[in-house]
Amino acid sequence: MDKVNGAVPPYAAGGGFGGVGFGGDVRRVSAEDWRYHAAEFAKGVAELSVEFGKGCRDVVKQSLLRDDSFVVRNFGGPCKSVCMRLRFLNEYLPEDRDPTHSWSVISFVFAVVIAVLIVSSESDAPIPMIQKLHIYPANATRILLPDGRHLAYQEQGVSYERARFTLVASHSFLSSRLAGIPGIKASLLQEFGVRLVTYDLPGFGESDPHPGRNLESSAMDMLYLSYAVHITDKFWVVGHSGGSLHTFAALKYIPDRIAGAFMVAPLLNPYEPSMNKVEKRRTWEKWTSKRKFMYFLARKFPALLPYFYRRSFLSGNLDQIDKWLALSLGKRDKGIIEEMKYQEFWQRDLGESVRQGDVKPFVEEAVLQVSNWGFSINDLNVQKKHQGKGIIFWLKSIYKRPPQELTGFLGPIHIWQGLEDRVVPPSMSDYVHRVLPGAMVHKLLYEGHFTYFYFCDECHRQMLTTVFGNPQGPLPVKVDPVPVKVDPIPIKEDTDDEEETEERGIDSYSDNNSDISFL
């Protein structure tokens, strides 16, 4: 009866009653089985996908492929002309194939093959081993500052007794006292009689951190260091890249102790309001998007910087400086950072910089680069000091005119700037020269950010010769005269013998000093 009506009884599915058939134990498939629901769900998803694809196709045809649509108006003509020129390729297709369908399939397969080749080529490349950063034992010489902090420093060149010139160098971001002037030879410092003193900024290397530090406190640290290391005369300050912030601070806050300054690729605040539009545009267009984003975070959201720093140079791994600081380097700069001598220097300097493992000093340094310095570079110009104003000052000036006092920095300022520099664009040095006409800017035609300052003996000699003139060697050693003790001549009481002795003394004096002539 059931068979006649076209329905299959439940027991027929199992081959017998209760799901037991004559051929063995066969499980009955019921509508409640999960596989049945999964298959139905898959069919439903497939049907919906097909309908969705048809809907998207209709939307594209109605909105984009119409004769009055934007795509057809602008790209229809060129595409049609290209298709007409490539029409001869249809002759290589089978006669029963639609060219549109065939070329669509061929293009899709070609794209898949290219993607597979790219992925396979990348997978065949050797995976670089992650190098761990090695931190050497502490061995720096430290001084005690008036506020109880310790400041680590290092000396190179001649001793302080024989130093003809003294240089104090502050390091840049992600560096330490070990940098100084990288690769400068001791023989060159000896030839010019130069003593080079470098120190760790607060929180870097072996220097204690300074809570709430700013550029004025940085200048005071430099002043206390000069007294502690027996710098009794004026000294020169040196800065490279981000270290120039502290060089400018010394010129502003302790100008009476500074003999002069020379900087290489000085970094300025990119948000400096006194920059004109052209200088700002030329500055920002040289940087990568990631570096612009890091400057934005340092200015607006510095609390987010520790996340990026802990994942890069504070992670304990070793990588190149351009990747961690998002630097866009030229060919010559890339060449120098790949050399073995730079790699050894970078590994040692980086390990010393992150010795304390504290992220706060790096955040403070990044914020100093993009925030208000507390002064303007224009303040370094030599100008008359403002005496005051008001009726009281006017009445005093009637009876006694006060002497005119000058403010600013009176010493020389030298700046070397590579025109191929993409880390500190030349527009920054152009701005310094515009607001400080007295500063001497030496433009280097084919130099980058590192090439003129790192491991270049000829460049180091040119800088020292430009600043100090011809080498004169160290100062001579001062020798204090030693007093000579002379025994007195005994005097006899006998007058006759005394006269005879005097005559004999005169005769002997004449004999021993016969070549003396009186003028």
Side-chain angles (χ1 to χ4, degrees), residues 25 41 170 214 291 482:
D25 186 7
F41 179 77
S170 53
N214 52 26
R291 192 178 184 198
V482 180

Side-chain angles (χ1 to χ4, degrees), residues 298-500:
R299 184 172 177 84
K300 298 295 184 180
F301 307 101
L304 300 179
L305 291 178
Y307 170 78
F308 296 94
Y309 291 167
R310 291 193 179 98
R311 292 173 60 89
S312 55
F313 51 83
L314 289 176
S315 62
N317 300 328
L318 183 64
D319 208 340
Q320 292 185 352
I321 186 173
D322 57 335
K323 295 182 180 180
W324 280 347
L325 299 182
L327 304 180
S328 176
L329 302 179
K331 293 183 178 179
R332 297 194 62 185
D333 280 334
K334 287 182 179 179
I336 194 173
I337 68 172
E338 292 175 356
E339 295 180 0
M340 182 59 65
K341 57 184 178 181
Y342 178 86
Q343 292 293 331
E344 296 176 354
F345 159 79
W346 164 244
Q347 182 176 0
R348 183 71 175 89
D349 190 35
L350 174 64
E352 187 64 27
S353 177
V354 301
R355 169 183 295 277
Q356 302 183 30
D358 188 8
V359 70
K360 185 178 179 181
F362 296 96
V363 175
E364 293 173 345
E365 191 69 14
V367 172
L368 283 177
Q369 293 180 358
V370 297
S371 59
N372 185 8
W373 290 2
F375 65 93
S376 175
I377 297 181
N378 190 32
D379 297 338
L380 302 179
N381 280 314
V382 179
Q383 51 192 343
K384 295 180 179 180
K385 186 176 181 180
H386 183 67
Q387 301 291 339
K389 59 183 179 179
I391 189 171
I392 298 179
F393 173 77
W394 178 76
L395 292 175
K396 289 182 178 180
S397 62
I398 295 177
Y399 297 98
K400 182 179 180 182
R401 184 174 297 275
Q404 293 290 342
E405 297 183 14
L406 299 179
T407 61
F409 180 67
L410 305 177
I413 300 176
H414 292 268
I415 295 176
W416 281 266
Q417 176 66 56
L419 298 183
E420 300 296 330
D421 194 343
R422 300 183 182 179
V423 181
V424 178
S427 56
M428 288 192 169
S429 296
D430 294 339
Y431 164 74
V432 175
H433 189 259
R434 180 171 65 85
V435 298
L436 287 180
M440 289 165 279
V441 179
H442 311 274
K443 295 185 177 181
L444 312 171
L445 186 58
Y446 301 108
E447 301 294 342
H449 188 69
F450 300 102
T451 54
Y452 196 77
F453 194 67
Y454 281 63
F455 305 101
C456 181
D457 299 336
E458 181 182 356
C459 306
H460 297 161
R461 178 176 292 276
Q462 288 178 357
M463 286 191 291
L464 295 183
T465 303
T466 303
V467 176
F468 303 131
N470 295 327
Q472 302 179 12
L475 295 176
V477 180
K478 296 180 180 181
V479 180
D480 296 332
V482 180
V484 180
K485 184 178 180 180
V486 180
D487 295 332
I489 301 176
I491 299 176
K492 294 183 181 180
E493 295 181 357
D494 192 356
T495 57
D496 297 337
D497 295 340
E498 182 178 358
E499 292 177 357
E500 184 179 357

Side-chain angles (χ1 to χ4, degrees), residues 28-184:
R28 183 178 63 183
V29 179
S30 63
E32 301 296 334
D33 194 358
W34 65 271
R35 286 175 292 184
Y36 171 78
H37 293 290
E40 293 297 326
F41 179 77
K43 292 179 182 178
V45 171
E47 293 176 357
L48 290 175
S49 300
V50 173
E51 295 298 328
F52 179 76
K54 292 180 179 180
C56 293
R57 182 193 61 185
D58 295 339
V59 171
V60 171
K61 287 183 177 180
Q62 296 176 8
S63 60
L64 298 180
L65 301 182
R66 295 174 56 183
D67 295 338
D68 57 347
S69 65
F70 175 81
V71 176
V72 173
R73 288 199 315 267
N74 292 274
F75 301 100
C79 291
K80 187 176 181 180
S81 62
V82 171
C83 292
M84 291 298 291
R85 293 183 180 181
L86 298 178
R87 195 173 181 178
F88 69 94
L89 296 175
N90 296 335
E91 299 177 0
Y92 299 96
L93 296 176
E95 295 181 357
D96 57 342
R97 296 293 182 182
D98 182 21
T100 304
H101 176 74
S102 300
W103 289 118
S104 300
V105 174
I106 293 173
S107 302
F108 177 77
V109 174
F110 181 75
V112 171
V113 171
I114 294 297
V116 171
L117 291 177
I118 293 175
V119 172
S120 61
S121 62
E122 291 181 355
S123 61
D124 294 339
I127 301 176
M129 298 295 293
I130 299 178
Q131 297 183 4
K132 293 296 181 180
L133 186 62
H134 179 68
I135 299 178
Y136 292 82
N139 61 350
T141 305
R142 304 201 304 173
I143 62 172
L144 182 63
L145 298 176
D147 58 359
R149 293 182 295 114
H150 289 88
L151 191 72
Y153 73 96
Q154 175 180 275
E155 293 188 58
Q156 293 176 268
V158 301
S159 61
Y160 71 90
E161 298 95 344
R162 305 191 61 189
R164 191 178 295 274
F165 308 101
T166 302
L167 306 180
V168 178
S170 53
H171 61 81
S172 59
F173 187 85
L174 205 58
S175 186
S176 69
R177 70 183 184 281
L178 301 181
I181 303 177
I184 191 169

